[in-house]
């Protein structure tokens, strides 16, 4: 099997020939990678990762200055994304982390939402996507459409978490409009990826915190699950064999049955500081596959190379011979992660079947 076939077989829980390697490096660690390896190409290529990302649709209107009127002020060096969300630079110690500013935090009427200049993906260009998918497949890799921040996060980034939570709890029409609008826009993006032929659509919204779910099940089932289920249903009408990955950090055990019901195929990241993979796999491993499980709050930054190897082996043994686990760090690897631990993770994946 090539790397694409091996990955898809693993995700189907039909066995695998080798353990794929997958992780993301922060800018500081990407610089360290170049220093350690002298490799000028993509680190995903260097480590023989099983997939590549397909570029998003390209907006015709890239002018984000139209959102400036929604902020009293922004710090020098701030950036505004295509949703209109402001990102202010943090301190030097914060590295690549930014402070988020919500453009619609202060609105009081539905008219203000209706007049907001949401990004126009209906008119966006997607000519590049099918060609990229073909090139990725020719290289023996899986093609991924990555559009996390799919419904809940994109909405609260614009409105503000507390404000959107209050809108939802009071059944305010502003919540209905905003969540529907974001769902509509992101369904356009999702269909574009799937029509281009991606193997995997990576979606998600953080709905968990460190020790609890972020909202009640009733609130989730009323406001978020139906919109997520509709999006997944629509893209699987295009390709029933599509793998839908869903990301949520934190403790989300009570939501897992709802995510399975909504059509999620692979759950990321099963954060070990919040949930135990053995327990999760025992309860749900016959219904859904997993991606992650190696702690980026614990083992990767603060463990030894031996600890990393032990955790990789433990979780792969839990998953068993059929697979169902793309074992990987649970989030972006941050500056405090030692290079030796990254190499230990890679080597553990290579050694597991030997």
């Amino acid at each position: 099997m090539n790397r694409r076939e091996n990955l898809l077989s693993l995700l189907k829980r039909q066995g695998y020939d080798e353990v794929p390697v997958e992780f993301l490096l922060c800018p500081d660690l990407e610089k360290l990678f170049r220093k350690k390896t002298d490799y000028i190409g993509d680190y995903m290529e260097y480590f023989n990762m099983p997939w590549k990302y397909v570029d998003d649709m390209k907006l015709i209107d890239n002018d984000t200055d139209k959102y400036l009127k929604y902020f009293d002020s922004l710090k020098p060096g701030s950036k505004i994304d295509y949703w209109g969300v402001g990102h202010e630079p943090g301190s030097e110690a914060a590295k690549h982390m930014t402070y988020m500013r919500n453009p619609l935090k202060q609105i009081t009427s539905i008219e203000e939402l209706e007049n907001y200049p949401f990004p126009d993906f209906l008119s966006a260009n997607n000519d590049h996507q099918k060609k990229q998918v073909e090139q990725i497949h020719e290289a023996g890799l899986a093609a991924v459409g990555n559009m996390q921040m799919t419904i809940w996060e994109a909405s609260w980034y614009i409105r503000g978490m507390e404000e959107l939570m209050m809108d939802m709890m009071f059944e305010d029409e502003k919540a209905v409009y905003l969540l529907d609008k974001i769902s509509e826009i992101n369904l356009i993006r999702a269909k574009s990826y799937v029509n281009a032929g991606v193997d995997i659509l990576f979606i998600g919204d953080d709905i968990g915190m460190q020790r609890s779910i972020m909202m009640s099940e009733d609130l989730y089932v009323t406001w978020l699950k139906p919109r997520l289920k509709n999006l997944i249903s629509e893209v699987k009408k295009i390709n029933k064999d599509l793998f839908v990955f869903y990301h949520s950090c934190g403790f989300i055990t009570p939501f897992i049955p709802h995510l399975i019901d909504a059509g999620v195929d692979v759950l990321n990241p099963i954060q070990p500081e919040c949930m135990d993979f053995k327990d999760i796999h025992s309860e749900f491993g016959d219904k859904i596959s997993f991606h992650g499980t190696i702690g980026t709050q614990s083992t990767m930054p603060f463990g030894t190379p031996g600890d990393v190897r032990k955790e990789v082996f433990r979780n792969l043994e839990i998953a068993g011979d059929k697979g169902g686990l793309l074992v990987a760090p649970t989030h972006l690897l941050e500056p405090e992660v030692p290079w030796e631990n990254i190499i230990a993770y890679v080597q553990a994946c290579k050694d597991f079947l030997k």
Side-chain angles (χ1 to χ4, degrees), residues 130-187:
K130 187 172 183 180
K131 184 177 180 180
Q132 286 184 346
V133 169
E134 290 171 352
Q135 291 171 340
I136 292 167
H137 285 169
E138 286 171 5
L141 304 175
V144 182
N146 188 13
M147 46 174 288
Q148 296 175 50
M149 298 166 34
T150 312
I151 298 173
W152 163 240
E153 282 190 289
S155 297
W156 81 250
Y157 286 7
I158 293 170
R159 176 73 172 110
M161 183 183 288
E162 184 177 348
E163 287 73 17
L164 182 54
M165 283 275 198
M166 293 296 288
D167 291 344
M168 291 159 61
M169 292 178 72
F170 282 96
E171 300 182 355
D172 192 302
E173 61 181 349
K174 293 194 293 297
V176 176
Y177 184 92
L178 180 56
L179 290 167
D180 280 349
K181 187 70 174 179
I182 296 301
S183 299
E184 172 191 316
I185 292 170
N186 278 336
L187 181 56

Side-chain angles (χ1 to χ4, degrees), residues 295-332:
T296 54
Q297 288 182 330
S298 51
T299 306
M300 289 304 297
F302 304 120
T304 65
D307 294 332
V308 173
R309 184 180 181 86
K310 183 178 178 181
E311 189 166 351
V312 169
F313 274 47
R314 170 190 180 267
N315 293 347
L316 287 170
E317 286 165 358
I318 289 169
D321 294 341
K322 291 183 178 180
L325 171 63
L326 174 52
V327 68
T330 53
H331 214 280
L332 179 75

